């Protein structure tokens, strides 16, 4: 799976929007862009994913650049419960079977929410 | 109902022992995984298991062996435990292999080897 680059940490205020960036300049045509988050002492939790078009769900929105080399996770109104490590992950749909299939986690962005 | 459940949540054991961590998913998924999160918080895939096909991450010692009695379970057996095995282990599942499919994770098992 191709590599992603995210800021180590970001800080935001409660009830304000948060934009979490991710660069993935080596993305291939079959890579989906996934976002997961991990709250303290919990397992990773799916947030959203997309391929080419922007995506919205009840948790967040995903804005994907036209060239797909970057994306932004948008939390429209952050709450204290959104404080977590957010991971941007590329997952190849053209998996050929070599190596263990699954998600390749990087360091993620530690999101801090100030009350 | 918990989608992916692991037991035990905490496990403390001595070096050299053999232990197992159980994982069950009630989602009807075809693919299950084991991940390891070390003290530096890096999450790494250990195994994926899909329709009786096991794919092992090449960095995983052969002391670790997943066993799947049926599609809903993927248990992790660890032989001759070492101090460096201390970590949080997460089980996960997804409908099948594929980039467009989300994964569901368990709450983790914190293994401490003393």
């Amino acid at each position: 799976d191709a590599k992603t680059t995210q800021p180590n940490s970001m800080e935001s205020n409660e009830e304000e929007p948060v934009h979490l960036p991710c660069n993935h300049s080596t993305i291939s045509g079959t890579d989906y862009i996934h976002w997961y988050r991990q709250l303290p002492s919990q397992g990773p939790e799916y947030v959203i994913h997309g391929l080419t078009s922007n995506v919205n769900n009840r948790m967040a929105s995903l804005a994907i650049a036209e060239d797909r080399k970057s994306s932004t996770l948008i939390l429209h109104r952050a709450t204290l419960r959104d404080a977590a490590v957010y991971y941007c992950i590329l997952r190849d749909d053209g998996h050929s079977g070599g190596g263990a299939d699954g998600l390749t986690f990087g360091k993620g962005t530690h999101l801090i929410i100030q009350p | 109902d918990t989608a992916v459940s692991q037991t035990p949540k905490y496990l403390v054991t001595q070096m050299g022992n053999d232990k197992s961590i159980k994982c069950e998913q009630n989602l009807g998924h075809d693919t299950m995984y084991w991940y390891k999160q070390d003290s530096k918080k890096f999450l790494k895939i250990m195994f994926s298991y899909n329709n009786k096909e096991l794919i092992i991450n090449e960095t995983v010692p052969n002391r670790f062996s997943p066993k799947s009695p049926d599609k809903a379970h993927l248990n992790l057996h660890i032989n001759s435990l070492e101090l460096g095995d201390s970590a949080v282990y997460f089980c996960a599942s997804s409908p099948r292999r594929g980039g467009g499919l989300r994964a569901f994770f368990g709450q983790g098992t914190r293994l401490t080897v003393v």
Side-chain angles (χ1 to χ4, degrees):
Chain A
D1 290 331
K3 188 176 177 180
T4 64
T5 305
Q6 299 177 252
N8 287 335
S9 65
M10 289 185 65
E11 200 167 313
S12 182
N13 295 320
E14 198 176 9
E15 299 188 6
E16 290 186 355
V18 179
H19 291 235
L20 296 166
C22 180
N23 288 320
H24 28 80
S25 58
T26 59
I27 190 170
S28 74
T30 54
D31 282 330
Y32 281 80
I33 302 161
H34 286 249
W35 283 83
Y36 282 74
R37 71 181 185 181
Q38 188 173 21
L39 279 66
S41 301
Q42 294 194 26
E45 174 187 32
Y46 169 84
V47 179
I48 201 166
H49 79 279
L51 184 62
T52 56
S53 303
N54 294 345
V55 185
N56 299 298
N57 67 21
R58 65 175 180 80
M59 288 181 72
S61 295
L62 176 60
I64 302 173
E66 196 169 334
D67 63 5
R68 301 211 322 128
K69 294 188 176 183
S70 65
S71 61
T72 302
L73 178 71
I74 303 165
L75 306 179
H76 295 286
R77 197 164 160 267
T79 70
L80 295 176
R81 291 188 70 252
D82 291 320
V85 179
Y86 286 78
Y87 298 96
C88 170
I89 301 167
L90 300 183
R91 193 169 184 199
D92 183 10
D93 197 40
H95 185 80
S96 62
D101 180 24
L103 299 165
T104 302
F105 288 83
K107 296 181 181 180
T109 296
H110 184 197
L111 177 63
I112 300 164
I113 304 295
Q114 296 289 354
Chain B
D1 281 344
T2 303
V4 181
S5 59
Q6 299 178 225
T7 54
K9 189 171 182 180
Y10 300 97
L11 181 55
V12 181
T13 188
Q14 290 186 328
M15 283 175 54
N17 284 351
D18 302 338
K19 289 294 178 184
S20 295
I21 305 172
K22 294 185 177 180
C23 178
E24 176 182 5
Q25 54 95 3
N26 62 6
L27 299 166
H29 288 171
D30 286 339
T31 306
M32 296 183 73
Y33 309 87
W34 277 104
Y35 290 80
K36 177 181 179 181
Q37 187 166 39
D38 61 24
S39 57
K40 294 183 179 178
K41 304 296 185 183
F42 292 121
L43 264 162
K44 292 185 179 178
I45 181 86
M46 299 177 70
F47 307 99
S48 69
Y49 193 87
N50 180 72
N51 195 25
K52 300 186 180 181
E53 180 189 9
L54 176 66
I55 300 176
I56 302 171
N57 186 313
E58 59 194 15
T59 65
V60 175
N62 58 15
R63 298 182 294 103
F64 290 77
S65 58
K67 288 185 170 51
S68 179
D70 54 59
K71 200 173 88 165
H73 296 84
L74 184 67
N75 303 325
L76 182 64
H77 297 271
I78 316 170
N79 295 326
S80 303
L81 277 154
E82 300 177 358
L83 293 176
D85 298 332
S86 297
V88 182
Y89 293 84
F90 291 99
C91 178
S93 73
S94 69
R96 59 189 179 281
R97 293 168 65 182
L101 300 168
R102 61 177 285 192
F104 294 77
F105 284 80
Q107 289 302 298
T109 296
R110 181 174 293 278
L111 171 65
T112 303
V113 182
V114 297

